[in-house]
Amino acid sequence: MRLVIVGPGRAGGSIALAAIAADHEIVGVVSNDREDRFGPSLSPGIPWPDADLVLICVKDDQIESVAEALSEWIGDTPVVAHVSGFVPVTALRPLSSPSVSIGGFHPLQTLPDPERGATALAGSHVGIGGEELAEDTLIHFGVSLGMEPFRLEDEVRPLYHAASAAAANFVATALATASDLYAAAEIDPSVAEPLVARIAHNVFQSGGRESLTGPIARGDTETVVGHLVAAHQVSESVGKQFRLMAEATAILAGRFNEVKDWK
């Protein structure tokens, strides 16, 4: 396939490198940089290249304005998609026409930089939605990158994206807090890796509530209070983070009424 990447940042650059490795061709890149390492640079006034797919990889709040800006420029490129997991495909309506099909292509993966992101895409899931031609094209493209497509409708995007943010960032926050506590105890945080891997496995096998362990799940108030005291002794911020996550765990465990006893 012949691709144009609009916004070759972390997501766009990751997809571009993965696409090149899968023998697709990047025929144009729209970027603020005068030179781009992923392909020929495009700017207004330069004829739009013959392409099969345009991927808009900009921030969520820029998608509609970028779509408006491209509407008079892209010609009859068959498929245009954004890579947001939150913004509806309908944000691309300025580009939709009898000859242009719009869609969404959201890699469910962290893409910290193009090199690591490109490697991480294979084996990841990708949420796909939109008009019929766009969906078919995006499924083919995702599979070519070694990804596993699933259907993502506009009406569930806020819930889906909230779930994905929780799955990624809440886990990272919990582990960062745990690392601070281990460091204060002069213990290498890596000792918890097998525990974390087993808990994650249990959650996907049996569910989060069923996988809870430790004093909150048991209702062992004195131990929980001891944890809270120890966390606050590390720092005020670590103490606050630990308490918030402990309260969230108590809600999940059905023990939130016991929080009032955590003094």
Side-chain angles (χ1 to χ4, degrees):
M1 295 175 63
R2 295 165 59 85
L3 278 68
V4 172
I5 303 293
V6 181
R10 291 184 297 177
S14 297
I15 295 171
L17 289 181
I20 292 168
D23 293 328
H24 298 291
E25 182 183 2
I26 309 299
V27 295
V29 175
V30 180
S31 171
N32 291 329
D33 296 330
R34 292 186 177 180
E35 295 184 5
D36 197 279
R37 63 192 178 103
F38 303 111
S41 181
L42 301 177
S43 59
I46 295 177
W48 195 264
D50 180 24
D52 303 300
L53 171 63
V54 175
L55 287 176
I56 298 176
C57 309
V58 299
K59 293 180 180 179
D60 287 358
D61 60 2
Q62 297 175 342
I63 289 175
E64 289 194 40
S65 61
V66 167
E68 290 280 358
L70 292 177
S71 61
E72 300 296 325
W73 189 20
I74 66 168
D76 293 332
T77 301
V79 176
V80 181
H82 66 56
V83 301
S84 171
F86 179 79
V87 175
V89 172
T90 52
L92 300 180
R93 276 180 179 163
L95 296 167
S96 181
S97 73
S99 59
V100 179
S101 182
I102 57 174
F105 182 88
H106 181 251
L108 187 52
Q109 185 54 271
T110 179
L111 307 172
D113 57 63
E115 287 74 21
R116 287 183 290 173
T119 301
L121 288 175
S124 300
H125 289 77
V126 56
I128 290 172
E131 298 170 348
E132 184 176 1
L133 176 61
E135 283 194 358
D136 290 345
T137 300
L138 294 168
I139 289 172
H140 170 75
F141 178 62
V143 169
S144 77
L145 302 186
M147 305 183 75
E148 299 185 29
F150 65 93
R151 187 171 181 81
L152 179 57
E153 302 285 0
D154 272 4
E155 55 266 29
V156 301
R157 281 176 176 267
L159 281 173
Y160 156 76
H161 206 248
S164 302
N169 293 315
F170 293 174
V171 170
T173 299
L175 292 177
T177 302
S179 292
D180 287 339
L181 294 169
Y182 277 122
E186 299 184 350
I187 296 172
D188 189 332
S190 66
V191 299
E193 189 170 353
L195 168 65
V196 173
R198 176 53 56 180
I199 289 292
H201 174 81
N202 291 348
V203 169
F204 287 109
Q205 290 294 312
S206 305
R209 185 174 289 104
E210 294 74 14
S211 301
L212 289 176
T213 185
I216 295 176
R218 296 192 302 267
D220 191 345
T221 299
E222 289 188 8
T223 300
V224 175
V225 171
H227 289 177
L228 293 170
V229 171
H232 276 281
Q233 288 174 342
V234 174
S235 72
E236 183 179 358
S237 63
V238 169
K240 287 181 178 179
Q241 290 167 8
F242 188 92
R243 186 178 186 95
L244 287 170
M245 286 184 285
E247 290 181 355
T249 303
I251 293 172
L252 181 62
R255 295 183 176 278
F256 189 65
N257 289 336
E258 299 173 17
V259 169
K260 62 181 182 295
D261 298 322
W262 296 356
K263 297 177 183 178

